[in-house]
């Protein structure tokens, strides 16, 4: 049988030839850590005993978890995975291969993998094609290593910056996230041999109180029309192959056991026909966290019945399905359904010998392409939040004094799911197991608690990890000194609580400065003293430690201040905005951060990034986002305004889509002869625009097109992003641009449950940010 010639009937016949135990093995996993020995491999890192596979999984191996802990470089990773694959085929029926997965939201999660700026930083580029190129590089790494399932992209919509995983998302807007997600999935799956896995389905980024894994308090209309939009589009436009559930619960039903979510919405409504895999331990959490199941068997039955196909990272729950079927508490047909989906994915990947040849060895990733893409994302993702003309600086023209705890640190520019964070975990774990963390008993410590455990004194070791992994990377301070050797540095400020700065000390430190550059931010990751990251939630997402105090003291000096903020989420930056002449956001740019920030401050790069999330003025405004509904939020085109009585300004500090440049741009509607600048024809909305660079420097910007339903039978957002395009325009030049969006981007769930749009007027708005929409026109849509 030639590769790709198999049919669903072929899959069904194969399923019928499997025993129940073999079926359950195909929908369960084996952790790579279970194969480690106490000895070290010749190439470094833990040795792997593949002989244990037959003992641990005598009926076969469906999936391999935690592959990122294998090998210390590309060659040893490939060699160890090949050995695991061969051993798995020996115990699996008909030589079926194991499906290996790996994380990849910021690049291939391994010490050997290319690391890109974090997903939120990628979204700040508003450049889906560029992010698609990054996804292609990540997929190349996976193919070369022998990994088939890419756990990315994260399609969660987030509108609460208290949540620690904002940096893993593409921000607050369904359209921005959808376009990037589609580009990612298309590129990742284009080369064959790799399938993308979208996560987390659904509403995970909108947890109650910003607490990780907490309940999601959203209505079904909002879930279906806004939070599911990136998934809908990736399924329809990119052939998304795999989906991962979220950890939250909705209306009392955990996502891992939610039939409405995993079957009725995902499959029946959105048309998904691929494989659903569990996020790690989410099936176990039905017992330990949500308390909807008493036993492993009950948890497995709940998940499988809802539409879950695979239990990760092991077989703790799904292994009980054998007994559940034998006892009559589970119909074996449900097991067959899940196995069929898994085997269809394996057949597509060439992991079933009788359905075609295995995929050949892939070529090595293009490191030159990877570097070019990495640098481009960092340059285009840096966002100039405010500037009174102080920037750009001229090297040598002024005496520059640099302060701030992020100035000479490399680690701060990396988030979770990077080579840096994964390398840190053994260091943190070892410190705990050796009893070096006060108040922590190694005997009762849960490994997952490592995310929230403060580990005193670990920062230097983690900084060394980042520098060892990325020896060519430079801190902001080092990069600034490459452009201006006279830049001075005074180590003021810290990330930790309890420190206090004396105003006189700060004043004396910058007394000779013509300009002060304060490099501030927060650490984001898995291990150490982070204030953001997985399982890291902050009640007040502000600059930690004494950084706010440092800013106040700097403002009191009267010196010109440039504040650089290193963060993977919106922070409360009221103090920075008030005391700074310029504020630059560096959204976790990874190893390119230092040079890109320095080059931007000195005008070698003209900033063009745009915010993927709204920055609130005050904690009490959260959640604050541009696409709020009529009658809610901060902006009301018509009707009475209800706002916060103790706030002089109701809107955001920095709006969604905001981002300045060192040049200026003008935008106007371009009306063609005999036609309209904005029209709806043949099911497509078109806006003809002319953008002019009115400044003295070549630059780039992002044109943004929004729409507002003036009246509808269900309450609609005051604006919805429907199209955007990044453009580059030379100084004094102009460009004619046509932004297009299918009318379907305006569709929503109508009051009768169907999907469409109420006939009537729609206002189309174009501009450079959600609060800078100067071009307005009205069209009529519908019957």
């Amino acid at each position: 049988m030639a590769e790709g010639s198999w049919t669903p009937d072929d899959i069904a016949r194969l399923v019928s030839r499997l025993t129940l135990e073999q079926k359950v093995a195909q929908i369960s996993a084996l952790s790579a850590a279970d194969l480690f020995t106490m000895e070290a491999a010749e190439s470094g890192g833990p040795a792997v005993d593949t002989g244990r596979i037959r003992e641990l999984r005598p009926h076969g191996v469906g999936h391999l978890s935690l592959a990122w802990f294998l090998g210390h470089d590309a060659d040893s990773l490939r060699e160890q995975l090949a050995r695991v694959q061969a051993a798995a085929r020996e115990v699996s029926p008909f030589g079926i291969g194991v499906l290996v997965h790996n994380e990849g939201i910021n690049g291939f999660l391994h010490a050997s993998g290319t690391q890109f700026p974090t997903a939120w930083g990628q979204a700040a580029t508003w450049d889906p094609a560029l992010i698609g190129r990054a996804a292609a590089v990540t997929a190349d790494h996976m193919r070369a290593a022998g990994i088939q399932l890419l756990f990315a992209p994260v399609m969660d919509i987030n509108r609460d910056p208290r949540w620690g995983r904002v940096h893993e998302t593409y921000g607050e807007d369904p359209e921005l996230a959808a376009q990037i997600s589609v580009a990612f999935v298309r590129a990742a799956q284009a080369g064959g041999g790799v399938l993308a896995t979208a996560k987390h389905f659904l509403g995970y980024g909108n947890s109650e109180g910003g607490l990780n894994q907490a309940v999601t308090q959203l209505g079904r209309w909002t879930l279906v029309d806004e939070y599911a939009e990136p998934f809908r589009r990736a399924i329809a436009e990119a052939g998304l192959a795999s989906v991962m559930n979220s950890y939250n619960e909705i209306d009392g039903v955990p996502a891992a056991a939610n039939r409405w979510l995993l079957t009725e919405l995902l499959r029946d409504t959105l048309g998904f026909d691929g494989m659903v895999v569990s996020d790690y331990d989410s099936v176990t959490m039905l017992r330990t966290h949500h308390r909807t199941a008493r036993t492993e068997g009950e948890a497995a039955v709940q998940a499988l019945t809802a539409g879950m196909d695979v239990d990760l990272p092991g077989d703790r729950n799904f292994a009980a399905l054998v007994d559940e079927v034998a006892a009559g508490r589970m119909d074996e047909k449900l097991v067959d359904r899940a196995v069929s989906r898994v085997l269809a994915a394996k057949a597509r990947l060439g992991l079933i010998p009788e359905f075609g040849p295995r995929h050949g060895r892939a070529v090595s990733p293009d490191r030159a392409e990877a570097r070019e893409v990495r640098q481009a994302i960092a340059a285009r993702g840096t966002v100039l939040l405010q500037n009174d003309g102080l920037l750009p600086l001229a090297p040598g023209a002024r005496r520059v004094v640099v302060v701030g705890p992020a100035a000479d640190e490399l680690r701060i520019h990396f988030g979770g799911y990077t080579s840096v964070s994964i390398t840190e975990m053994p260091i943190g774990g070892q410190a705990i197991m050796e009893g070096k963390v006060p108040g922590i008993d190694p005997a009762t410590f849960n490994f997952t608690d490592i995310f929230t455990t403060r580990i005193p004194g670990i920062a230097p070791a983690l900084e060394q990890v980042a520098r060892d992994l990325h020896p060519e990377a430079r801190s902001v301070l080092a990069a600034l000194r490459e452009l201006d050797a006279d830049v001075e540095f005074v180590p003021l400020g810290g990330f930790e609580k309890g420190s206090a700065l004396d105003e006189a000390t700060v004043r004396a430190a910058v007394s000779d400065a013509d300009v002060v550059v304060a490099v501030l931010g927060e650490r984001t990751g898995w291990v150490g003293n982070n204030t953001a990251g997985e399982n890291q939630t902050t009640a007040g997402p502000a600059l930690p430690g004494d950084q706010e105090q440092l800013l106040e003291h700097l403002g009191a000096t009267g010196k010109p201040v440039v504040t650089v903020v290193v963060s993977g989420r919106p922070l409360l930056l009221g103090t920075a905005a008030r005391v700074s002449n310029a504020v630059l956001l560096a959204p976790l740019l990874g190893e390119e951060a230092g040079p890109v920030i320095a080059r931007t401050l000195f005008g070698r790069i003209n900033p063009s990034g745009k915010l993927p999330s709204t920055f609130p003025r005050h904690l009490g405004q959260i959640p604050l986002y541009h696409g709020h509904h009529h009658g809610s939020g901060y902006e009301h085109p018509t009707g009475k305004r209800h706002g916060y009585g103790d706030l002089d300004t109701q809107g955001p500090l920095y709006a969604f889509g905001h981002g300045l440049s060192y040049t200026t741009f003008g935008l106007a509607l371009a009306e063609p002869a005999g036609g309209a600048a904005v029209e709806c024809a043949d099911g497509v909305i078109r806006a003809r625009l002319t953008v002019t660079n009115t400044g003295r420097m070549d630059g780039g910007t992002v044109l943004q097109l929004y729409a507002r339903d003036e009246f509808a039978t269900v309450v609609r957002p005051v604006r919805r992003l429907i199209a955007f395009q990044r453009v580059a325009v030379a100084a004094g030049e102009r460009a004619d641009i046509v932004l297009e969006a299918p009318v379907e981007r305006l569709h929503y769930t109508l009051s009768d449950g169907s999907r469409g749009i109420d006939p009537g007027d729609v206002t189309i708005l174009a501009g450079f940010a959600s609060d800078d929409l100067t071009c307005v026109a009205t069209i009529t849509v519908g019957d």
Side-chain angles (χ1 to χ4, degrees), residues 100 153 164 263 558 652 690 735:
V100 185
T263 297
T690 298

Side-chain angles (χ1 to χ4, degrees), residues 539-744:
L543 292 167
D546 60 7
Q547 295 178 94
E548 292 277 347
Q549 188 179 36
L550 174 60
L551 282 170
E552 291 285 6
H553 293 335
L554 290 174
T557 68
K559 300 284 185 179
V561 175
V562 175
T563 298
V564 176
V565 178
V566 181
S567 175
R569 60 176 175 169
L571 296 177
L572 298 169
L573 297 179
T575 302
R578 175 169 48 83
V579 307
S580 304
N581 299 78
V583 180
L584 183 71
L585 174 68
L588 301 189
L589 304 178
E591 63 186 287
E592 302 296 340
V596 164
I597 292 169
R599 293 177 65 206
T600 302
L601 294 179
F602 281 119
R604 304 286 182 87
I605 295 174
N606 191 351
S608 59
K610 298 285 188 175
L611 288 179
S613 300
T614 299
F615 278 55
R617 294 179 181 274
H618 191 279
L619 177 65
Q621 293 178 295
I622 296 173
L624 190 73
Y625 53 98
H626 85 91
H628 62 80
H629 285 197
H630 282 278
S632 302
Y634 63 88
E635 184 175 330
H636 303 272
T638 59
K640 184 178 180 181
R641 179 190 301 270
H642 296 279
Y644 297 101
D646 54 350
L647 290 181
D648 295 332
T649 302
Q650 299 299 316
L653 180 63
Y654 303 117
F656 171 80
H658 170 75
L660 303 177
S661 170
Y662 292 150
T663 189
T664 53
F665 296 96
L667 189 66
L669 294 173
E671 296 190 8
V678 180
E679 64 177 1
C680 181
D682 302 320
V684 178
I685 299 169
R686 294 181 179 86
R688 298 174 176 86
L689 303 163
T690 298
V691 57
T692 305
N693 185 332
T694 57
R696 300 179 179 180
M697 182 184 292
D698 297 349
T701 188
V702 178
L703 303 185
Q704 303 166 34
L705 191 68
Y706 297 80
R708 178 174 65 238
D709 297 277
E710 293 300 342
F711 293 94
T713 53
V714 295
V715 181
R716 303 300 298 137
V718 296
R719 75 178 68 81
R720 181 165 183 172
L721 180 70
I722 60 172
F724 56 89
Q725 183 174 327
R726 172 174 278 274
V727 297
V729 187
E733 298 295 320
R734 55 185 287 178
D736 294 324
I737 304 293
V738 179
L739 292 181
E740 295 185 344
V743 173
E744 284 78 8

Side-chain angles (χ1 to χ4, degrees), residues 106 117-124 158 160-169 378 381-383 385 406 409-416 476 495 518-525 530-533 538 540-544 547-548 563-573 576 583-590 593 597 610-616 654:
N106 310 308
T118 196
W120 195 64
Q122 295 173 35
N158 172 266
D160 190 335
R162 293 174 296 178
W163 193 52
R165 303 187 71 173
V166 177
H167 70 290
E168 299 177 35
T169 77
T382 305
V383 186
L385 297 177
E409 180 172 305
L410 191 62
R411 167 63 185 85
I412 194 172
H413 301 289
F414 294 86
V476 174
F495 299 115
V519 190
L520 313 176
E522 66 172 348
R523 291 174 174 143
T524 304
N530 305 303
T531 49
T538 49
L543 292 167
Q547 295 178 94
E548 292 277 347
T563 298
V564 176
V565 178
V566 181
S567 175
R569 60 176 175 169
L571 296 177
L572 298 169
L573 297 179
V583 180
L584 183 71
L585 174 68
L588 301 189
L589 304 178
I597 292 169
K610 298 285 188 175
L611 288 179
S613 300
T614 299
F615 278 55
Y654 303 117

Side-chain angles (χ1 to χ4, degrees), residues 424-515:
E424 293 171 348
M425 292 191 77
I427 297 174
Q430 182 177 356
I432 291 168
M433 292 302 103
E434 292 178 352
K436 296 180 179 179
V437 181
I440 302 297
D441 182 0
T444 59
F445 184 77
N446 239 333
F447 182 72
T448 53
D449 294 338
I450 198 170
F451 293 118
T452 54
T453 300
R454 309 296 289 182
I455 306 179
I458 200 173
L462 302 190
E463 174 66 11
Q464 193 59 51
V465 164
R467 293 178 183 262
D468 289 343
L469 283 171
H470 302 283
E472 296 181 0
R474 282 99 73 205
S475 67
V476 174
L477 175 63
L480 285 171
R481 283 176 167 168
E482 289 180 359
L483 299 178
D484 185 345
D486 294 328
V487 165
E488 301 177 25
F489 174 55
V490 181
L492 296 176
F495 299 115
E496 300 297 321
K497 296 179 181 179
S499 57
L501 278 174
D502 178 76
E503 182 178 350
T505 300
V506 174
R507 186 179 296 274
V510 302
S511 61
D512 294 333
D514 296 321
V515 176

Side-chain angles (χ1 to χ4, degrees), residues 7 51 84 93-94 150 165 181 187 292 298 319 341 362 372 376 422 464 492 536 551 575 600 634 650 703 762 769:
T7 68
V84 171
F94 313 110
L150 169 56
R165 303 187 71 173
S181 296
T292 63
E298 285 186 2
R341 293 168 180 164
E372 179 182 328
I422 198 65
Q464 193 59 51
L492 296 176
Q536 296 278 346
L551 282 170
T575 302
T600 302
Y634 63 88
Q650 299 299 316
L703 303 185
V762 174

